[in-house]
Amino acid sequence: MEKNEPLISVIIPVYKVEQYLDRCVNSIVNQTYQNIEIILVDDGSPDKCPEMCDEWVKRDERIRVIHKENGGLSSARNNGLDMCRGYYINFVDSDDWIPEDSLHYLYDLRKKYEADFSMASYVRDCHKTPARNDFIECELSQQEFLTKFFKIGAQENVQYSWAKLYKKELFETVRFPIGLTCEDIVTTFQIALRSKKIAYSTNIVYFYYLNPSSITEMEFSDQKFDLLKVWDKVCQEAYQFDERWILSKALFNRKRADFGILMDLAVSKNSLGQKIKYLPKVKKNIFDLRKNVFELCNSDVPFSRKIFIICFSINYPICLFILHYISKLRYRVMRESEKNILK
């Protein structure tokens, strides 16, 4: 351990991940950056995770565990934030893992640019480990980061809370919203509004586990409508910040969220009958999409999505029917791929 290395708190919410928890924690205890505290937040997990967390506490003195009633991902992260003692904060989801130099790299990157937080890239995959060469590093202003956050001119997603290293002071008045999915969007936006300088890299510091057997995650449910509530909250924050271009982009993304809801329903794993039952619930989304179709199609939204936006606004039920059967073929291919991986 280098002298005067500041403490990094790694917060890991834990819920129903007994198959993946050891892989996750192993990747953190073996970090080249050693001055860390690992906070395992057992969110009332009904499997063996609580006992596994307690075993990890016995194995490494840097690990602490919080056992709590189930309250969701935001609640678990907030408990970790309330308990952490580090000068810097990092989040890892318990079914994911990180390369052994991840924390050291993010720390050095932040230090190099004297940034409020550092961020790097991630890989969504279930079994491949990509090469980590030819990456770029740079400093981003608040406006440059928010340009990425609002996905202006690109589809890179920087809205996640993980694959970043934050100064703890950024969270003095910020917590994750309780009871919502897509919670990272609101919190990342709030952190960005409190940051003047961000260190950015395309180096891979995070492995997002895309479980080929968890196709149920692709089912549409009422929780999907949280996306609209989340962007409503972002718009409220933007109003208070009183920066016209930020508010304009926040409102635009709220309009784009209607399209996101309709696309999620169309390509979900739900049966056709279940999807049809949701048509009355998405009636307003269809209406709002039609109202905003000109603005969306005259933006930098990718051309392929503009085609879908136009088609959805003309006749969404027909589009849903067509995409339903295309998606069935896709899921069939995914299942075959999983069988081949397991062989």
Side-chain angles (χ1 to χ4, degrees):
M1 185 187 302
E2 295 180 13
K3 277 189 174 182
N4 302 319
E5 276 188 344
L7 181 67
I8 294 177
S9 297
V10 183
I11 298 173
I12 309 172
V14 178
Y15 186 74
K16 293 175 71 173
V17 287
E18 64 180 42
Q19 186 177 352
Y20 312 110
L21 182 60
D22 283 343
R23 178 182 64 183
C24 174
V25 180
N26 264 314
S27 75
I28 298 167
V29 298
N30 292 319
Q31 288 292 298
T32 56
Y33 193 103
Q34 289 289 297
N35 191 20
I36 60 177
E37 67 165 358
I38 302 168
I39 302 177
L40 300 174
V41 186
D42 163 33
D43 191 33
S45 188
D47 55 8
K48 296 179 181 178
C49 283
E51 292 84 0
M52 294 172 71
C53 289
D54 291 336
E55 283 300 315
W56 270 109
V57 171
K58 297 174 185 177
R59 293 167 61 180
D60 196 308
E61 63 183 7
R62 298 171 300 171
I63 298 178
R64 291 192 291 157
V65 61
I66 301 170
H67 295 290
K68 60 182 286 295
E69 292 183 0
N70 179 250
L73 180 61
S74 290
S75 172
R77 284 177 173 170
N78 290 343
N79 269 259
L81 286 169
D82 293 339
M83 295 290 292
C84 70
R85 299 173 295 204
Y87 188 76
Y88 297 102
I89 294 172
N90 174 259
F91 297 100
V92 179
D93 286 349
S94 50
D95 51 354
D96 303 333
W97 74 104
I98 58 178
E100 66 178 7
D101 62 342
S102 177
L103 295 178
H104 225 309
Y105 181 78
L106 286 169
Y107 172 74
D108 289 342
L109 182 67
R110 193 220 62 82
K111 187 177 180 181
K112 177 180 178 180
Y113 292 100
E114 298 181 340
D116 295 299
F117 70 88
S118 57
M119 57 176 288
S121 294
Y122 62 93
V123 175
R124 298 173 64 120
D125 208 333
C126 58
H127 59 283
K128 294 179 182 177
T129 301
R132 301 170 67 207
N133 303 316
D134 302 325
F135 55 85
I136 62 169
E137 296 178 351
C138 65
E139 174 188 315
L140 298 178
S141 66
Q142 181 189 76
Q143 181 170 345
E144 288 169 329
F145 174 80
L146 287 173
T147 297
K148 289 181 177 292
F149 175 85
F150 289 127
K151 297 185 180 181
I152 302 172
Q155 290 304 302
E156 179 184 13
N157 193 337
V158 300
Q159 297 168 350
Y160 295 112
S161 295
W162 33 255
K164 297 178 176 69
L165 185 69
Y166 310 88
K167 286 183 178 179
K168 183 180 180 179
E169 63 198 54
L170 293 172
F171 284 93
E172 282 182 2
T173 59
V174 173
R175 288 296 185 269
F176 291 88
I178 302 294
L180 292 176
T181 56
C182 312
E183 63 286 319
D184 288 6
I185 295 176
V186 178
T187 306
T188 301
F189 182 67
Q190 291 175 321
I191 292 297
L193 294 183
R194 289 159 175 78
S195 303
K196 294 181 179 179
K197 192 187 297 184
I198 296 95
Y200 171 77
S201 172
T202 58
N203 189 17
I204 296 166
V205 299
Y206 195 95
F207 296 131
Y208 178 100
Y209 184 61
L210 188 60
N211 187 348
S213 63
S214 62
I215 299 177
T216 53
E217 293 180 4
M218 300 173 189
E219 291 184 352
F220 192 92
S221 68
D222 287 346
Q223 280 190 326
K224 293 290 185 179
F225 292 100
D226 284 355
L227 181 64
L228 306 176
K229 299 174 185 176
V230 160
W231 280 107
D232 285 339
K233 284 183 173 291
V234 170
C235 291
Q236 291 170 10
E237 290 283 337
Y239 272 117
Q240 296 174 17
F241 194 67
D242 196 28
E243 187 76 37
R244 183 171 294 181
W245 83 270
I246 294 178
L247 176 58
S248 172
K249 295 303 178 184
L251 290 170
F252 176 81
N253 275 264
R254 172 57 181 82
K255 295 170 185 175
R256 187 162 61 177
D258 288 307
F259 168 71
I261 294 291
L262 295 173
M263 179 60 82
D264 282 350
L265 175 59
V267 302
S268 69
K269 189 178 177 285
N270 299 58
S271 68
L272 184 58
Q274 290 172 328
K275 292 179 182 181
I276 291 172
K277 287 181 180 179
Y278 266 106
L279 286 177
K281 287 190 175 183
V282 298
K283 189 174 181 179
K284 187 177 186 304
N285 303 107
I286 298 170
F287 175 81
D288 288 343
L289 185 67
R290 288 172 179 162
K291 185 172 63 176
N292 299 312
V293 64
F294 183 80
E295 180 181 355
L296 292 169
C297 289
N298 280 278
S299 69
D300 53 9
V301 169
F303 180 75
S304 60
R305 297 199 178 186
K306 290 178 181 178
I307 298 297
F308 281 116
I309 289 170
I310 293 170
C311 292
F312 283 8
S313 64
I314 294 172
N315 195 323
Y316 179 69
I318 292 296
C319 294
L320 182 147
F321 183 83
I322 294 170
L323 288 173
H324 170 76
Y325 285 100
I326 293 174
S327 298
K328 282 186 69 175
L329 292 174
R330 176 192 171 205
Y331 296 131
R332 188 177 302 168
V333 170
M334 289 179 67
R335 284 193 293 269
E336 290 300 320
S337 174
E338 179 186 0
K339 290 178 183 177
N340 291 333
I341 292 170
L342 295 175
K343 283 180 180 179

